[in-house]
Amino acid sequence: MEGSMAEIKEEVRKGVELGKRFNKTFPNVFTNCGVDLNLAARALGDYFNKKIFVKNADLSKMKGGISGFTFVREDGVYIVVNSDEPPYRQRFTIAHELGHIFNGDIDLGKIDNLNMVFRSDLELFYGDPEKFKLEQMANSFAAEILMPEDQVLSFMKSGVSVEEMAMFFGVSPQAMRIRIAGILHSQDHKQPEN
Ligand SMILES: [Zn+2]
């Protein structure tokens, strides 16, 4: 295993912080149906004075079960998403890649084949603890911008069902359940019963 539980927790915390910062910095990318990832890519591009393009490609033949990756070209930064995966998963991949860009995991000024960040659930990074940590960070960033904590909490208080919430945020019901469980867990630790 790479990294201790404490280290992984720390990366998750960093991702959440970064996601909250993103949500605060770019409030206009949130529509009445969750985050608009095309708007988010454009806003983040403006922020870095770069063009960020989101493209689809069938990556199913690539090794390593890659869901998407980001690289830099002269005319801008390209996020490539595996069109072979379900729409929900593609949304998560775009959000994950935006997290890498916002966190500075890729050098936006460097055109180089090795200057890349990925999303892969397979063992691609497991030999590299630093990259593995960045993956944890980017995943929790993605969860935070796709399903912002304050919005999820207010839906929960109004009794909105998991399925309805998943539909609203454009995520799978399974991702929604994991997110709700995570938020409840962190709430428990934040606000002990008095
Ligand atoms: Zn990644």
Side-chain angles (χ1 to χ4, degrees):
M1 282 304 295
E2 304 299 341
S4 65
M5 272 315 280
E7 278 177 333
I8 291 171
K9 262 191 185 161
E10 175 59 13
E11 291 312 308
V12 168
R13 195 195 59 74
K14 274 193 216 156
V16 170
E17 288 293 302
L18 193 71
K20 286 193 198 295
R21 186 145 64 83
F22 183 92
N23 296 349
K24 224 179 261 170
T25 311
F26 307 106
N28 297 335
V29 306
F30 291 87
T31 69
N32 56 5
C33 206
V35 60
D36 180 326
L37 290 168
N38 285 313
L39 282 182
R42 207 179 307 157
L44 191 60
D46 290 345
Y47 179 84
F48 286 118
N49 226 347
K50 290 272 171 193
K51 282 219 172 314
I52 298 177
F53 303 101
V54 179
K55 303 281 177 194
N56 283 82
D58 184 354
L59 306 178
S60 57
K61 291 203 176 66
M62 283 179 76
K63 273 187 196 162
I66 288 173
S67 297
F69 56 87
T70 299
F71 67 97
V72 182
R73 274 189 6 186
E74 230 152 272
D75 59 341
V77 180
Y78 285 76
I79 297 174
V80 180
V81 182
N82 191 351
S83 57
D84 197 43
E85 294 186 335
Y88 289 148
R89 213 182 140 80
Q90 292 185 34
R91 264 176 77 74
F92 204 94
T93 299
I94 298 169
H96 174 110
E97 294 302 311
L98 292 175
H100 279 313
I101 295 172
F102 196 38
N103 196 43
D105 298 342
I106 179 165
D107 183 346
L108 300 182
K110 193 169 159 199
I111 300 164
D112 178 339
N113 286 342
L114 295 176
N115 184 33
M116 264 200 188
V117 283
F118 291 87
R119 179 186 178 211
S120 166
D121 285 345
L122 294 186
E123 322 250 312
L124 198 62
F125 302 114
Y126 285 37
D128 184 336
E130 285 313 306
K131 285 198 170 148
F132 181 77
K133 280 188 198 170
L134 290 181
E135 289 306 283
Q136 306 294 319
M137 190 284 306
N139 283 339
S140 67
F141 171 90
E144 185 59 44
I145 75 163
L146 290 170
M147 301 164 273
E149 182 174 336
D150 50 350
Q151 281 190 53
V152 174
L153 281 170
S154 83
F155 277 146
M156 284 165 67
K157 277 179 196 139
S158 347
V160 178
S161 74
V162 172
E163 285 72 21
E164 285 169 320
M165 268 192 251
M167 195 100 84
F168 177 88
F169 290 120
V171 300
S172 68
Q174 192 205 3
M176 195 69 240
R177 264 181 225 112
I178 292 170
R179 177 68 176 146
I180 290 169
I183 288 174
L184 288 177
H185 183 77
S186 72
Q187 291 284 309
D188 281 351
H189 288 260
K190 225 185 315 192
Q191 300 162 341
E193 298 273 322
N194 49 19

